[in-house]
């Protein structure tokens, strides 16, 4: 953060915002924006409760399964688009459309097709996560030197061997970038799915807290989600930096 030409440490800027939040929370707006200290007390109070742990298990299952499917489908699809110009021309407009589309509007369509249940929530997670994984994988594969692929083919490498030993490793920085962005989008997807499709997991807690106007509880749960998304982003960003050297292997 830079203020008046001076670089302000991140921790100091966070302390400034925390102090401002506390001041606003203790003013007349406390009903909607409770004090930050009260929110942290609520976090410590609700996290060990059985209702929170049950909601965490339900939400975590949908999030984990949805992301595994998104990666398992999105990476090969992105590799196929990067390898084949014909397939790329066919699939790219659809992928770009889903990346830019308001995906929340498609959730009722999934509900009609697959009903109200955990499967629909998982499909919502996949819908939010997969497209950016496809695009980033495609970008990584298209950066690989054709001579590298031709050399592997000349040595008799099969299609699976080229995928596992060249495309996957050489495009790994972009694949991890796509997975990172996809998982961040999936956090939004799983909460939207649980709010719109079936009021379970964290969606049920959000519905309970908002309907009873328990704003300290509501913000506490929101902060837990923000913290999870932040740690997930930072962890995968660290992994990206660790594998940057793979980019040199594709030339």
């Amino acid at each position: 953060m830079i203020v008046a030409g001076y670089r302000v440490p991140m921790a100091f800027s966070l302390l400034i915002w925390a102090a401002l939040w506390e001041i606003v929370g203790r003013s007349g707006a406390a009903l909607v924006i409770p004090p930050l200290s009260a929110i942290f007390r609520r976090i410590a109070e609700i996290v060990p409760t059985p209702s929170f742990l049950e909601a965490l298990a339900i939400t975590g299952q949908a999030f984990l399964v949805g992301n595994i499917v998104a990666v398992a489908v999105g990476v090969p699809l992105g590799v196929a688009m990067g390898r084949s110009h014909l397939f790329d021309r066919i699939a790219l407009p659809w992928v770009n459309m889903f990346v830019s589309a308001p995906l929340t509007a498609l959730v009722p369509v999934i509900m009609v097709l697959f009903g109200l249940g955990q499967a629909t929530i998982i499909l919502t997670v996949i819908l939010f996560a997969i497209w950016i994984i496809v695009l980033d994988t495609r970008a990584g594969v298209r950066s690989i030197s054709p001579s590298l692929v031709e050399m592997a083919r000349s040595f008799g490498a099969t299609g699976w061997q080229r995928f596992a030993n060249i495309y996957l490793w050489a495009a790994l920085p972009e694949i991890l970038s796509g997975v990172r962005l996809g998982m961040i989008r999936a956090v939004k997807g799983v909460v939207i799915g649980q709010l719109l499709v079936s009021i379970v997991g964290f969606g049920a807690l959000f519905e309970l807290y908002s309907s009873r106007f328990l704003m300290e509880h509501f913000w506490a749960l929101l902060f837990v989600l923000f913290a999870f998304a932040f740690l997930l982003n930072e962890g995968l960003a660290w992994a990206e930096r660790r594998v940057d050297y793979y980019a040199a292997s594709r030339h």
Side-chain angles (χ1 to χ4, degrees):
M1 180 179 178
I2 299 175
V3 179
Y6 296 96
R7 184 173 297 276
V8 179
M10 179 66 71
F12 184 68
S13 65
L14 288 176
L15 287 174
I16 293 175
W17 284 109
L20 289 174
W21 187 302
E22 187 73 17
I23 293 170
V24 172
R26 293 185 180 280
S27 67
L31 287 176
V32 179
I33 305 177
L36 197 59
S37 57
I39 294 173
F40 284 122
R41 284 197 300 270
R42 291 300 179 189
I43 292 175
E45 176 185 313
I46 68 173
V47 167
T49 60
S51 60
F52 176 86
L53 296 177
E54 181 183 356
L56 178 64
I58 296 171
T59 303
Q61 181 191 31
F63 180 81
L64 183 62
V65 174
N67 277 290
I68 289 174
V69 174
V71 172
V73 175
V75 171
L77 184 59
V79 170
M81 290 174 63
R83 288 180 56 191
S84 170
H85 290 290
L86 176 61
F87 183 63
D88 186 58
R89 290 183 179 180
I90 294 172
L92 185 60
W94 291 96
V95 174
N96 284 332
M97 180 183 70
F98 279 109
V99 167
S100 57
L103 298 178
T104 306
L106 298 178
V107 175
V109 179
I110 302 176
M111 292 168 56
V112 171
L113 294 176
F114 297 97
L116 304 175
Q118 187 78 335
T120 302
I121 297 172
I122 292 172
L123 286 171
T124 304
V125 174
I126 296 170
L127 184 68
F128 273 80
I130 190 171
W131 309 112
I132 194 68
I133 296 174
V134 172
L135 280 183
D136 278 20
T137 302
R138 169 187 176 271
V141 170
R142 289 175 71 88
S143 300
I144 299 172
S145 173
S147 62
L148 187 63
V149 181
E150 288 300 322
M151 181 181 66
R153 188 179 286 113
S154 68
F155 278 98
T158 63
W160 168 251
Q161 288 173 328
R162 293 195 299 272
F163 171 80
N165 298 311
I166 294 180
Y167 293 115
L168 194 61
W169 289 104
L172 190 57
E174 285 82 3
I175 291 173
L176 282 178
S177 176
V179 170
R180 176 174 60 84
L181 295 173
M183 284 190 171
I184 298 304
R185 290 164 62 96
V187 173
K188 179 171 64 175
V190 71
V191 174
I192 288 174
Q194 291 183 339
L195 283 171
L196 296 182
V197 177
S198 182
I199 309 299
V200 295
F202 282 172
L205 293 182
F206 276 124
E207 181 69 20
L208 174 67
Y209 297 154
S210 61
S211 63
R212 298 185 180 181
F213 215 70
L214 301 172
M215 299 311 297
E216 290 181 7
H217 296 71
F218 185 91
W219 279 102
L221 185 58
L222 204 57
F223 269 46
V224 170
L225 280 176
F226 285 165
F228 171 73
F230 175 79
L231 292 174
L232 184 67
N233 180 73
E234 291 300 309
L236 290 172
W238 174 85
E240 283 180 55
R241 293 191 293 270
R242 297 284 292 179
V243 301
D244 273 345
Y245 62 90
Y246 281 111
S249 67
R250 57 194 181 202
H251 299 294

